[in-house]
Amino acid sequence: MRAHLYDILARRQLSALFQPIVHMQSGEIIAYEGLIRGPSDSPLHAPMNLFKAARANGLTVEVEHLCRKVVLERFAELGLPGKLFLNVSPECLLQRDARHGETLEVIHQIGINPERVIIELTENQPTYDYDLMRDAVLHYRKMGFQIAIDDLGEGFSSLRLWSELRPEYVKIDMHFIQGINHDPVKLQFVRSIQEIAEKSNTRVIAEGIETQAELLVLRDVGVAYGQGYHLGRPHPTPARAAPAEVVKALSRNGVAVYPQRGADKQATVLKLLNQVQAVSTSMNNNEVYEIFQRAPDLLIIPVVDDGMPQGLISRFVMIEHFARPYERELYGKKSCRQFMDQKPLIADKSTSLQELSFRMAQADAHHLFNGFIITDQGRYLGMGTGHDLMREITQMQIHAARYANPLTQLPGNVPITEHIDRLLESGSRFWVCYFDLDHFKPFNDVYGYRRGDDVIQLTGNLLTSHCDPDRDFVGHIGGDDFMVLFQSEDWEQRCQTVMEEFGRNVLDFYSTEDRERGGYISEDRQGKKVFYSLMSVSIGAIRVEPHQYYTHHQIATAAAESKKQAKKTFGNSLFLDRRQA
């Protein structure tokens, strides 16, 4: 292998490829990353294998110097526009030998301005000597080069490098880019990196963009530049302009649909853990009574033997017994097991809050007051209170109602409002459609809320399946009210399809008799018998032109008014308010 490497070096058997880096607002190619390939018929063709072999044979510096020379010469030969990102490992950057200025020499020889070259630091192993790194980077900056850090979020110490070196560019690793349009955690990571970059005067490059949906989300987040197969593959003679569909997509008004975070179904009882000192069954009732006397706020004491929970002692149960004639004399010196609840509610630390809430609702009422024991594989950890559980569940329900509907998991009122604000800010045309089910309440009264929930889920599924997930935002306001923010030009056809499919599918929720007569009889709010026809969909629509509305409140009011007009028509109806504000 060492001989093979020497042969590659002697015969310069390396070739350069270039991958474009695109401006996310204009679609213009602003730079290329220079990549290297070994001999095509060699196991060292792949760069990872090439550099691994070079490192193993102590030839890293020699191989890297040749790579840089080949890339620079080919870049100049092709006359490519913009800047060149040149890969350099930190270990080579730190070399103090006579070849330290070799890159600058090559650049001068072939006539490239150093200001067009960005030194891209690629981490293959940990970097520990940050002082030396700072000195080396300062040396390169004095020569006119700029600095970029590669694979942010993936390397050994990339965040520390960012802080220490203050590079002009950071590249976010492709792991955080691919699928960002479906993953709220990846979106939040990139948003955070973008926020840091803006404050530190650094430009962000997103690596590994493979779809238009990823591209548009990243553009909307404010990422400056992009790189990936969707924008251009590495090539010996790369294109000088981005693909037409990329330029068109980036120039188009409108906003990407961000992925939404649903309700936190992962929250466990560990969130409610309180450290409460336990007693053992060897302790007598007088001793437990003294503990309650010394701690007026203590309401429950857990009983634990050798780490295993045995039960709970309630302050009020003990005081009630000791208040009776002769009970203290009779039982005071007996084991505290005497007044212990021997069947407490016990939950492992991994139990979800929803599951515990369900168990609490099914259990006897005193458990809500006593609380519950939290264990780790059966061993006592601490206590949780019914009050804390109720508070947490209530907070989750409030969050769900605002951010994600618990029934359909569709975005709630806050994300709907945020998306409207983004659309208004973008200055693009869009359509707001307010969907409402006719005669839903009497259906719920007659057929029960479970079947009503099924109809709500059917509606949510129909809206989701007939909207473009990358352009149209489907939200669930609550109950049987939905809102869709369309950027698709064929929004009207999509609405018609939803109405037709709802009309067919909703029949399955009625009895044969009600289907045949087209409705059913139920009492109205005044207690009178009324015939209600089968459920249908009313859609109130408004078209929003740039600068026609200025707040989401105005849009909500206009959409609600349009929905009222739609409901005046019997059966499925779509009303578009054609008046201009």
Side-chain angles (χ1 to χ4, degrees), residues 36-66:
I36 208 76
R37 296 292 184 268
S40 58
D41 57 348
S42 162
L44 302 186
H45 176 68
M48 191 176 291
N49 295 343
L50 177 68
F51 293 119
K52 184 178 178 183
R55 200 158 44 248
N57 288 279
L59 293 170
T60 301
V61 174
E62 290 81 358
V63 169
E64 272 208 36
H65 279 145
L66 179 58

Side-chain angles (χ1 to χ4, degrees), residues 350-376:
S350 62
T351 305
S352 72
L353 294 179
Q354 285 97 335
E355 182 186 339
L356 180 62
S357 175
F358 179 76
R359 284 175 57 192
M360 185 78 81
Q362 301 294 313
D364 293 338
H366 72 274
H367 290 298
L368 187 62
F369 175 79
N370 285 354
F372 47 91
I373 293 172
I374 300 174
T375 58
D376 181 4

Side-chain angles (χ1 to χ4, degrees), residues 30 42 76 85 93 111 148-149 162 173 306 369 404 490:
I30 57 98
S42 162
F85 280 72
L93 194 75
I149 293 177
W162 188 359
D173 182 64
D306 298 322
F369 175 79
D490 61 345

Side-chain angles (χ1 to χ4, degrees), residues 150-308:
D150 191 22
D151 293 338
L152 185 74
E154 191 271 340
F156 301 99
S157 51
S158 49
L159 284 172
R160 171 81 185 269
L161 271 178
W162 188 359
S163 173
E164 295 279 0
L165 306 182
R166 305 298 167 95
E168 284 78 14
Y169 301 88
V170 292
K171 285 187 166 186
I172 302 179
D173 182 64
M174 66 175 64
H175 166 78
F176 300 99
I177 302 304
Q178 290 170 358
I180 190 173
N181 52 311
H182 300 301
D183 191 329
V185 175
K186 289 182 179 180
L187 175 63
Q188 187 54 52
F189 176 86
V190 173
R191 272 175 152 172
S192 300
I193 293 301
Q194 178 63 24
E195 193 175 322
I196 297 169
E198 287 170 0
K199 290 176 181 173
S200 59
N201 201 27
T202 303
R203 281 154 288 184
V204 174
I205 301 170
E207 291 187 292
I209 300 172
E210 293 192 351
T211 68
Q212 183 172 298
E214 293 165 357
L215 177 74
L216 295 178
V217 167
L218 292 161
R219 179 199 66 178
D220 286 6
V221 170
V223 170
Y225 307 118
Q227 182 176 354
Y229 284 179
H230 185 64
L231 309 178
R233 290 173 177 266
H235 198 275
T237 53
R240 292 163 186 264
E245 65 270 20
V246 168
V247 177
K248 183 179 177 183
L250 289 174
S251 64
R252 188 177 63 202
N253 277 347
V255 300
V257 178
Y258 286 166
Q260 300 296 322
R261 183 184 292 278
D264 184 10
K265 293 185 175 181
Q266 305 305 314
T268 67
V269 297
L270 204 55
K271 196 172 185 179
L272 309 179
L273 179 69
N274 294 306
Q275 301 292 341
V276 180
Q277 187 62 46
V279 301
S280 69
T281 53
S282 62
M283 188 174 281
N284 66 39
N285 287 318
N286 282 333
E287 291 171 314
V288 173
Y289 183 77
E290 286 302 315
I291 293 174
F292 279 127
Q293 289 293 90
R294 290 196 300 271
D297 295 332
L298 185 62
L299 301 177
I300 297 289
I301 295 177
V303 182
V304 178
D305 285 343
D306 298 322
M308 307 305 287

